[in-house]
Amino acid sequence: MMKMNCNIKVFLFMLFMANGVTMLHAQYRFDNILYGAAYYHEYMPSERLDEDIRLMKEYGVNVVRVGESSWGVFEPQEGVFKFEWMDRILDKMHEAGIKVVLGTPTYSIPAWMAERHPEVLAQYPGGGQAYYGIRQNMNFMNPTYRFYSERIIRKLMERYAKHPAIIGYQVDNEIEARNINNHDYFVGFRNYVKNKFKGNINKLTKEWGMNYWGMNIHRWEDFYPRDGVTNPSYKNEWERWNRKAIADFLNWQVDIVNEYKQKNQFVTHCFMGAFQNVDQVESFRQMEYPANNVYHNVQDGQDGQLLAYVGDFMRTVAKGNYLITETNAQTTGWDSRNQYPPYDGQLRQNVYGHLASGANMVEYWHWSSIHYGQETYWKGILGHDLEGNRISEEFKKVAGELRRIGTHLVNLKKRNKAAILFSHDSYHALQFMPYSWKDNYPIHKVYSALYRQNIETDIIPCDQIQDFDDYQLLVIPPLYVATDSLLDKISNFVYKGGEVVMLYKSGFCNEYSAVRPQKAPGPLRKACGFYYQEFSSIRGMALKSEAFSLNNPVAVDEWYEFLVPETAEPLACADHPFFGRWPVVTKNSFGRGHLFYIGAVPSDELLEKIVRMAAGNAGILSEANEYRFPLIIRSGVNDMGRLVHYIFNYSGIGQGINYMFDDGKELLSGKIVRKRDFLEISPWGCAIIEDL
């Protein structure tokens, strides 16, 4: 399984065959990159639909997203529906050759519903109450809300399912549980727990440790609401319920849409880049292309990392390509205190950054800047003057490039050999039992350790997906909550020849967020080659004897586990008269593989070096890994079965690189690039090279 030397032709053939299977299943087939923006003519201060479409055609917009915020326009009074305004938009978009994604408007309820049915509004822990005047203020489990939601969805689908402009439907928007605590929502949780424990209240009491402080219950009717709960097991299960409720709600909407949509149309949802509160796997179950809304730093803070992170996560969930439904055009913000427009070239660079991870569509929020409302300063492609500008000209340039080379970039397939295991359960459990005043689940630190040294990775939500046999390297943030079976799979992965880098606190609690009654790290003990019984909070410390030759003397911080090696090899100890007795970094040979364990919060530099050591053992390093940030290199296989390599310069200074891949054609310039040629990548620029 591990460290096999695969013939590249066999690899490409297998990717092509996998792509072919996807095509057979596909509802909508992308034949080029879609590039556009959300469009809300209902927000405009005056009539300008024809002018907007004229400008869209001039700038190269080929897709827009409409409707998801406009329930109160579709149904201004209860049972009174007005669709003519959207008919006109869709008809004119189709006439102009612009494709449309239509949203179900369920995330923003109309005013009449809040006034006539206040029971649909969300209630919060501690007695708080949502009010009308902001979006996503409802309890999405409420039956009244569901009744009206189903009615508006069906009305829209009956009217528009056969409209030739529409290629897909977006159900709801950026959904999260948002702290809902209504009584019916709690009753749903109680029934969910009762079903999970098969009605066995004694098992619940035992697994959750509810005898502590006398918080036990003897009848399901006595099951108490979330408001005052201190029990970590209860809290973590509540978060699982939130994720399940969201997934059920989205799938409920998809079920309705599927009754009407055409075979050549897709269904999607706009997920946010913060993945902690949504079960993406179950939410995506009936969708083909998940979508993401990604907002990130620009100017001197532009580094491409969040774009890549979101793509690597969602591509893994989808097992294929995905969409970007919102991202930065100009400035962002719910006020004007932090207005940072991108530098020249950064908008263009970000588009190719998304495509390099497997995106098939990039849309901005939104076409024009709004003149009123909370998001007045969340600016679109057009500014408040509604005229062309620096950003729209850069959009136009990119659109022209995509028309010319997009067929070489669409449907990119990636086959990474490294993966990060992401645990929703551990994220939440470590918020309930934090060890630090800083980030208690440092997923972005872990991702950065691979990204900045050009080790491409998938991100696996391991609460749901536990098949990682095809990888050669796993990097695991603190896996604080995990089943024995997941820990056994990780151990077996190592035994069969895999390389693992694992961070502190892993294996400490079982799936109920209860500490295992055995020496840590519990079922991982043999694979790790050590045990520990003590731990301590610490301040920043250096390592003895300059282990790992770090530039920054502060190598570990926040937390320290007193590791007692059994078969593990100590690689580093803290330079401290007390803590230095116990290693803080170990390496254990287990079967044919190795497990590197870090028993403290590592510095970025230390984590990068350990990841690189493990990647070297896994045999996945190449010449590309000799370069590091700000030069970022990402690769995949296109529809033509050819490797495509993206080389990004995330800096304001030109960067040079010796091209390390086979001879190819630089798609943007049309120039032939030979292996070992020296390439100059311009500031905030990129090169895209397709193998000949």
Side-chain angles (χ1 to χ4, degrees):
M1 176 191 70
M2 306 298 169
K3 306 178 183 176
M4 292 190 299
N5 295 317
C6 296
N7 183 285
I8 187 64
K9 291 183 178 179
V10 174
F11 167 60
L12 292 177
F13 175 76
M14 292 179 68
L15 278 177
F16 177 78
M17 291 300 293
N19 192 25
V21 172
T22 301
M23 289 173 60
L24 291 175
H25 173 69
Q27 297 162 317
Y28 177 85
R29 174 67 180 167
F30 284 82
D31 56 13
N32 205 332
I33 300 297
L34 294 183
Y35 191 42
Y39 179 65
Y40 311 109
H41 186 253
E42 62 272 30
Y43 293 179
M44 291 297 183
S46 61
E47 166 55 44
R48 55 173 285 129
L49 178 59
D50 290 338
E51 174 64 6
D52 282 328
I53 290 178
R54 184 191 70 80
L55 288 174
M56 287 180 186
K57 292 180 70 175
E58 176 184 335
Y59 294 145
V61 169
N62 59 18
V63 65
V64 294
R65 165 179 165 238
V66 300
E68 82 280 352
S69 300
S70 299
W71 192 344
V73 187
F74 285 125
E75 191 178 3
Q77 300 176 45
E78 182 178 351
V80 177
F81 299 97
K82 295 188 176 181
F83 298 117
E84 292 77 14
W85 65 277
M86 181 58 76
D87 295 346
R88 180 167 168 263
I89 293 169
L90 294 178
D91 291 346
K92 285 184 176 287
M93 290 295 174
H94 179 59
E95 182 181 342
I98 298 173
K99 297 175 171 63
V100 177
V101 177
L102 175 65
T104 63
T106 49
Y107 89 118
S108 180
I109 63 174
W112 57 258
M113 187 187 302
E115 192 275 328
R116 295 186 185 180
H117 304 284
E119 71 274 13
V120 307
L121 293 171
Q123 296 172 354
Y124 303 124
Q129 168 72 52
Y131 294 92
Y132 194 76
I134 191 170
R135 64 192 187 182
Q136 290 154 324
N137 54 356
M138 80 294 289
N139 167 20
F140 59 81
M141 295 284 284
N142 179 270
T144 302
Y145 167 74
R146 290 286 187 106
F147 169 81
Y148 288 117
S149 292
E150 180 171 354
R151 188 173 72 177
I152 189 62
I153 294 169
R154 290 190 182 278
K155 290 286 185 180
L156 286 171
M157 294 304 298
E158 287 166 1
R159 192 171 188 96
Y160 296 125
K162 295 182 180 180
H163 197 289
I166 296 175
I167 61 170
Y169 302 93
Q170 168 199 323
V171 291
D172 209 78
N173 182 66
E174 295 180 355
I175 191 167
E176 294 180 283
R178 300 183 186 273
N179 229 16
I180 296 171
N181 194 41
N182 297 62
H183 179 69
D184 55 346
Y185 193 76
F186 161 72
V187 171
F189 173 61
R190 182 175 64 193
N191 292 336
Y192 154 79
V193 173
K194 183 177 181 180
N195 181 64
K196 183 168 186 173
F197 283 86
K198 296 181 172 57
N200 189 338
I201 205 164
N202 293 326
K203 179 175 173 58
L204 172 71
T205 298
K206 177 180 180 297
E207 298 293 359
W208 285 14
M210 297 176 80
N211 286 335
Y212 178 75
W213 279 354
M215 300 297 173
N216 48 35
I217 57 175
H218 302 282
R219 302 182 310 151
W220 286 104
E221 292 76 12
D222 297 332
F223 196 93
Y224 35 88
R226 172 67 176 85
D227 299 64
V229 167
T230 55
N231 183 295
S233 300
Y234 185 121
K235 291 179 181 179
N236 222 36
E237 201 64 59
W238 178 265
E239 295 303 327
R240 289 174 179 154
W241 162 244
N242 284 336
R243 298 197 295 273
K244 181 184 186 304
I246 290 167
D248 288 348
F249 175 68
L250 290 177
N251 279 293
W252 172 77
Q253 287 211 30
V254 176
D255 284 338
I256 299 171
V257 171
N258 279 344
E259 293 182 32
Y260 300 88
K261 77 173 184 64
Q262 306 299 292
K263 290 182 179 179
N264 61 344
Q265 296 171 334
F266 62 82
V267 184
T268 190
H269 171 75
C270 303
F271 296 98
M272 287 296 288
F275 301 111
Q276 300 91 323
N277 306 312
V278 180
D279 180 346
Q280 293 82 8
V281 176
E282 181 60 22
S283 297
F284 172 69
R285 175 169 52 81
Q286 299 188 82
M287 302 178 193
E288 184 184 0
Y289 300 107
N292 256 288
N293 297 345
V294 188
Y295 294 102
H296 50 82
N297 291 333
V298 293
Q299 297 190 2
D300 295 332
Q302 176 150 311
D303 60 10
Q305 182 171 314
L306 184 58
L307 277 66
Y309 172 81
V310 165
D312 290 340
F313 191 108
M314 199 48 68
R315 187 188 63 249
T316 307
V317 169
K319 298 180 180 177
N321 301 103
Y322 63 96
L323 315 175
I324 297 297
T325 34
E326 293 182 20
T327 192
N328 308 49
Q330 297 192 55
T331 59
T332 63
W334 274 18
D335 53 47
S336 59
R337 285 178 291 188
N338 292 286
Q339 296 285 284
Y340 298 103
Y343 292 155
D344 293 341
Q346 289 189 332
L347 187 93
R348 176 178 182 260
Q349 185 183 57
N350 288 329
V351 173
Y352 292 119
H354 288 300
L355 303 188
S357 290
N360 273 352
M361 180 179 84
V362 177
E363 285 188 316
Y364 298 99
W365 204 90
H366 45 104
W367 166 244
S368 63
S369 301
I370 298 174
H371 302 83
Y372 35 64
Q374 183 68 71
E375 293 172 319
T376 298
Y377 291 96
W378 208 292
K379 296 184 67 180
I381 297 169
L382 301 184
H384 289 115
D385 56 20
L386 302 177
E387 296 182 7
N389 53 53
R390 179 178 65 91
I391 293 299
S392 63
E393 287 302 312
E394 192 164 317
F395 179 101
K396 182 178 181 179
K397 176 182 178 180
V398 175
E401 291 174 347
L402 292 176
R403 281 196 300 272
R404 181 166 50 86
I405 68 170
T407 55
H408 296 259
L409 309 180
V410 73
N411 301 317
L412 191 74
K413 304 302 175 190
K414 301 172 79 73
R415 186 75 175 272
N416 294 328
K417 287 300 180 182
I420 294 171
L421 301 190
F422 178 96
S423 169
H424 294 86
D425 285 339
S426 296
Y427 168 84
H428 286 290
L430 287 169
Q431 313 311 310
F432 303 140
M433 283 290 171
Y435 61 88
S436 170
W437 293 102
K438 300 177 184 176
D439 187 358
N440 282 278
Y441 189 73
I443 180 64
H444 292 288
K445 172 193 279 283
V446 169
Y447 185 80
S448 180
L450 290 99
Y451 174 79
R452 295 178 76 87
Q453 49 189 337
N454 288 307
I455 301 172
E456 290 208 68
T457 184
D458 295 340
I459 303 174
I460 300 175
C462 63
D463 308 282
Q464 286 278 23
I465 301 173
Q466 297 180 6
D467 178 11
F468 34 78
D469 282 349
D470 288 338
Y471 296 96
Q472 293 170 213
L473 171 67
L474 298 181
V475 184
I476 305 176
L479 192 56
Y480 183 64
V481 171
T483 62
D484 285 3
S485 63
L486 175 56
L487 301 182
D488 288 343
K489 287 177 181 177
I490 294 169
S491 296
N492 289 335
F493 175 83
V494 179
Y495 192 81
K496 293 177 181 177
E499 300 291 319
V500 168
V501 176
M502 178 177 285
L503 271 66
Y504 52 93
K505 280 188 167 287
S506 292
F508 200 73
C509 289
N510 64 18
E511 63 268 35
Y512 301 110
S513 201
V515 177
R516 288 184 165 88
Q518 60 190 119
K519 289 180 179 176
L524 291 169
R525 181 170 173 178
K526 284 188 177 180
C528 288
F530 63 75
Y531 68 86
Y532 67 92
Q533 296 173 288
E534 293 184 85
F535 37 79
S536 177
S537 301
I538 62 168
R539 294 190 176 93
M541 295 179 183
L543 301 180
K544 285 183 180 178
S545 305
E546 297 185 2
F548 291 98
S549 301
L550 302 176
N551 294 316
N552 189 335
V554 177
V556 293
D557 201 359
E558 301 283 334
W559 182 257
Y560 202 103
E561 294 168 351
F562 297 8
L563 308 183
V564 180
E566 295 176 300
T567 58
E569 172 191 355
L571 297 183
C573 298
D575 187 9
H576 188 277
F578 176 74
F579 294 104
R581 294 157 55 187
W582 296 279
V584 70
V585 182
T586 61
K587 172 186 175 183
N588 189 51
S589 299
F590 185 62
R592 299 197 305 272
H594 305 91
L595 191 150
F596 295 79
Y597 188 89
I598 309 170
V601 180
S603 66
D604 293 343
E605 185 182 9
L606 175 60
L607 183 55
E608 282 190 21
K609 293 207 170 190
I610 295 170
V611 166
R612 191 176 188 87
M613 185 182 296
N617 284 355
I620 63 173
L621 296 180
S622 68
E623 288 185 58
N625 303 112
E626 299 304 314
Y627 294 91
R628 56 170 293 119
F629 184 85
L631 283 171
I632 293 297
I633 303 165
R634 297 175 71 77
S635 302
V637 177
N638 67 12
D639 264 355
M640 302 159 193
R642 296 174 182 164
L643 282 164
V644 178
H645 310 285
Y646 290 80
I647 305 173
F648 298 97
N649 173 16
Y650 286 106
S651 78
I653 302 171
Q655 301 284 334
I657 188 171
N658 292 311
Y659 189 64
M660 70 290 296
F661 302 109
D662 291 339
D663 295 354
K665 180 181 180 181
E666 206 288 306
L667 295 175
L668 293 168
S669 66
K671 295 179 180 178
I672 299 300
V673 178
R674 304 293 180 188
K675 189 171 185 176
R676 307 301 176 195
D677 279 357
F678 179 80
L679 300 181
E680 179 76 20
I681 312 298
S682 62
W684 310 114
C686 67
I688 308 171
I689 302 168
E690 178 187 62
D691 280 4
L692 292 175

